[in-house]
Amino acid sequence: GRLRDAFTGQAMPPAAAALPDRPGPHMIETCRAVVQQWETTHHGWAPPRFYFGGFSAGAQRLLAVAGLDPATMKRERIGNAALDYRVRYGRGLRAGETVLVHSGPLAVTDRNWTFGHVMTAADGGEFLASAAVFNTLFDLDARKGIPLPAGMASKLAPYMPA
């Protein structure tokens, strides 16, 4: 059967437990960022929101690859919701460090998908964090989940793991 969440006992989304520790050959660079001083805590470390910002940028880039750029989503009145996150952290980040995020789909169904993201140090490729994010689309007016648009899965197919 499917893996179960240790806290809730519920079945985990497809591929949610498969957190990569390095970018796979199917993943594309979706974000390059520098930790700014103002983004750090009073102790000098980048908080979780910095990591999530990189993963969010990666998801937006993958949606655009799939034909759902911001203009299309606004015109079609489509919203995107992340229903579940699985995150694995490596080491902390300090101001001035440059990071890369590589992203790719891990699983796609007719109504949902899981995107995988890996954040590494731009200098040397050291693992910093990874995430698997289970997502769905919804109609902004009806406030109901909708199937993925025709062709979205085929546009993501070249970026699926082998």
Side-chain angles (χ1 to χ4, degrees), residues 17-105:
L19 295 176
D21 60 0
R22 68 182 63 83
H26 66 285
M27 294 180 153
I28 59 173
E29 184 180 319
T30 53
C31 180
R32 183 179 293 247
V34 176
V35 180
Q36 301 297 322
Q37 184 65 46
W38 61 267
E39 294 176 296
T40 62
T41 67
H42 64 286
H43 295 295
W45 295 101
R49 74 174 176 264
F50 180 85
Y51 297 84
F52 279 82
F55 300 149
S56 179
Q60 288 177 344
R61 174 73 179 107
L62 283 179
L63 285 173
V65 165
L68 290 176
D69 58 88
T72 300
M73 291 182 75
K74 183 177 181 180
R75 183 180 62 253
E76 301 293 326
R77 306 281 302 142
I78 296 173
N80 171 31
L83 304 176
D84 188 42
Y85 284 84
R86 297 285 187 237
V87 180
R88 184 173 138 215
Y89 293 98
R91 69 165 176 82
L93 295 168
R94 296 253 186 209
E97 290 192 74
T98 302
V99 302
L100 303 176
V101 176
H102 287 80
S103 306

Side-chain angles (χ1 to χ4, degrees), residues 89-152:
Y89 293 98
R91 69 165 176 82
L93 295 168
R94 296 253 186 209
E97 290 192 74
T98 302
V99 302
L100 303 176
V101 176
H102 287 80
S103 306
L106 298 177
V108 179
T109 69
D110 61 335
R111 298 187 71 86
N112 309 81
W113 70 92
T114 302
F115 283 164
H117 308 281
V118 180
M119 182 180 287
T120 58
D123 182 20
E126 179 185 3
F127 171 80
L128 301 172
S130 62
V133 185
F134 183 65
N135 302 270
T136 194
L137 297 177
F138 62 94
D139 181 307
L140 287 172
D141 298 318
R143 297 300 221 194
K144 288 185 170 183
I146 59 172
L148 302 186
M152 183 175 168

